[in-house]
Structures are given as structure tokens and as C-alpha cells.
Amino acid sequence: MDASLSFVKMHGAGNDFVVLDARTHAIPLTTAQATTIADRRRGIGCDQIILIENAPTADAFMRILNADGSESGACGNATRCVAALLAAETGARTLTIQTSAGILAATIKGPNLVEIDMGEPLFNWQDIPLLEPMDTLNLRLALGPVENPAACSMGNPHATFFIEDFKHLALDSISPRLEHARIFPERANIGFARIDGPDRIRLRVWERGAGLTLACGSGACAALVNAHRRGLADRRAEIEMDGGSLTITWRDDNHVLMEGPVALVYEGTIAPELLPA
């Protein structure tokens, strides 16, 4: 990297991103460069790095790199942030953003408030994916005090454990082991959901490649979908996470909508000497 990189730091309900505009010139980040940018002590610090690229059939393509440099297929909070940036640039109130998991439609609902149509959840074991045929509503998976999660794909794999409380959950200890469990050949995002009512869920999510985050948009969608499949929640609920709340609606047409806040924190440049070759 022989030139400085301009970036925007944003977050959605505390799920934070370094956003790079790669529409005028390609930004081929190596894994080492991505992890340096994401490092909260030696770099800028973020859960994911977002590259905005050109797309032939959408307003933009969004490439998602996790803090460990691996690529992710979907990130709902990042999609809302990118939609807000594009809306500020163009004045549009509706936009389409292509990801490796498909094209997502965004609607600007108000100042710093964006709704994303996250598409349809997938429940077949091959689509999540799981290692072998299995009932995705009741996975044969247990570790310590948690067991029997429900799984689905929201553009990336999710397993949701339903718990009574968080008091005795050593999330930093059990979550990495669950993320890398044998039944998840591509690893998985691990959610821990407490049902506080048919329209309210308290959620914490360990994201594959990023760790425990303040919020996870696709994880919130998976939690609502899996809770409704279990008969624990309605089709619309507030999902409360450490960094804020998202409103998730699983419509009758099978599409999942996510509405929540976005914030631009600051803009800056990354000096080339800070990034390893």
C-alpha cells in the first residue's frame, strides 16, 4: 500500500465499521492489512471493514471483511450504514446494495434511521451450512450450560441458544468453541437469546471472525426467526443488544426486515506506513 487511504468510521447500534470507498480505484487489502486496520490498539479498530465497490445491477456492492481478515457474506448493520452514506451522497430514499449473499433493499426511514430487507431465512441444513443432515430447529449441540440451539442462514450461518439469564455464561470461553464446532464447516455466528416477552428479546452475539460484538444485525434477525419457529416470540420484536436495539419483522412473505439507527463517528486517513506490505 503506497498511498494513504481515506475512511469513514461508522456504527449501527454499537456494531462498528471502517468504511472504505473503492468505487474509483480498487483497494486490494491483504489479510495482514485488514487485521491491522481492525486492531483497536495499533489500527483504527472495528468489528468489520467495509469496501464500497461498483455494482452493475445495484447502487453499490458491499464487501465485508471481518476483524480477522476473513470475508463475510452479510452484515445488516453495515448495510444500513452504507445505505445512509449513499443516501447522503445521492439524496435517494430507497437504494439497493449488493452483497455476496444477494441484493438487499434499503429504505431511509428518518434521520439516521434505516430499514433493510434482509431477504428470506434459509433452514435446510445444506444452506446454513451444517456438516450433515440435521433438524435445524433442534441442533445436537451442547457446551457447558447451553444446549439445543436453532439454526438458520441470514446470508451467513447462525445458531441461536435460548437461555434463562446471562449471569453464569462465560461467553468469552464457550463462544469460540461453539463458533468452531465440528457441525459448522464454515464456522457460525453464535447468539444467546433471553425471551423477555413475545415482542422483546435480549440478545448477545459472538460473531465468527470478530468475537463478541455490541450488536449483530443478521444475528438479531436470526434470533427473531428462530424464536418464532420455536413458538417463543411473535413475528415482530425489539431485539435489545449491548449497543442498542433493532426492530426485526419477519413478514408473512418470508422476508425479514431490520430497522435501526446508524451513526457517522469520524472521517480520516490511514497512513501507508501503518499497513504491512
Side-chain angles (χ1 to χ4, degrees):
M1 193 76 63
D2 55 7
S4 61
L5 276 178
S6 297
F7 71 90
V8 177
K9 180 70 182 285
M10 301 187 75
H11 77 85
N15 192 191
D16 64 336
F17 315 102
V18 170
V19 184
L20 304 172
D21 190 343
R23 288 175 293 176
T24 57
H25 62 277
I27 304 176
L29 292 178
T30 66
T31 297
Q33 289 168 340
T35 55
T36 297
I37 291 171
D39 192 303
R40 297 189 183 276
R41 292 179 175 84
R42 296 180 174 86
I44 302 165
C46 62
D47 294 324
Q48 280 89 21
I49 298 164
I50 307 300
L51 296 158
I52 303 177
E53 302 174 357
N54 294 311
T57 59
D59 291 297
F61 180 87
M62 184 180 79
R63 192 174 306 281
I64 308 158
L65 301 178
N66 292 316
D68 67 356
S70 62
E71 189 163 345
S72 179
C75 180
N77 285 320
T79 308
R80 292 189 298 102
C81 287
V82 169
L85 282 178
L86 297 176
E89 181 182 286
T90 65
R93 306 293 292 179
T94 59
L95 307 103
T96 54
I97 298 171
Q98 186 174 358
T99 71
S100 59
I103 294 179
L104 305 179
T107 303
I108 308 302
K109 304 290 285 187
N112 301 316
L113 186 65
V114 181
E115 180 184 81
I116 297 291
D117 183 341
M118 292 290 288
E120 300 183 54
L122 301 176
F123 305 117
N124 290 331
W125 69 272
Q126 304 99 317
D127 296 326
I128 291 174
L130 301 177
L131 183 65
E132 58 194 17
M134 197 176 297
D135 176 10
T136 61
L137 191 56
N138 297 277
L139 294 191
R140 298 188 299 272
L141 180 62
L143 182 62
V146 298
E147 61 181 355
N148 187 36
C152 69
S153 172
M154 288 300 314
N156 48 13
H158 285 272
T160 309
F161 289 89
F162 295 98
I163 62 171
E164 295 295 326
D165 62 62
F166 294 92
K167 293 178 182 178
H168 304 296
L169 279 182
L171 296 186
D172 288 337
S173 173
I174 66 172
S175 300
R177 296 163 65 189
L178 292 167
E179 173 194 353
H180 291 271
R182 178 178 172 273
I183 65 171
F184 303 124
E186 297 179 8
R187 300 185 290 168
N189 300 281
I190 307 298
F192 303 91
R194 185 186 72 206
I195 306 299
D196 291 342
D199 60 353
R200 183 163 296 276
I201 298 172
R202 178 69 172 97
L203 177 69
R204 301 191 75 187
V205 179
W206 177 276
E207 293 192 52
R208 61 173 182 171
L212 194 62
T213 56
L214 294 181
C216 176
S218 59
C221 293
L224 183 279
V225 166
N226 285 329
H228 184 73
R229 293 170 72 204
R230 285 270 182 97
L232 302 174
D234 295 336
R235 297 187 76 97
R236 178 181 175 89
E238 291 293 313
I239 312 298
E240 180 191 351
M241 292 168 285
D242 290 351
S245 295
L246 300 173
T247 302
I248 308 299
T249 305
W250 187 13
R251 294 191 316 209
D252 290 337
D253 66 359
N254 203 32
H255 281 240
V256 181
L257 304 184
M258 176 207 314
E259 181 182 306
V262 301
L264 192 156
V265 184
Y266 59 86
E267 303 178 29
T269 57
I270 306 169
E273 57 266 26
L274 293 181
L275 296 178

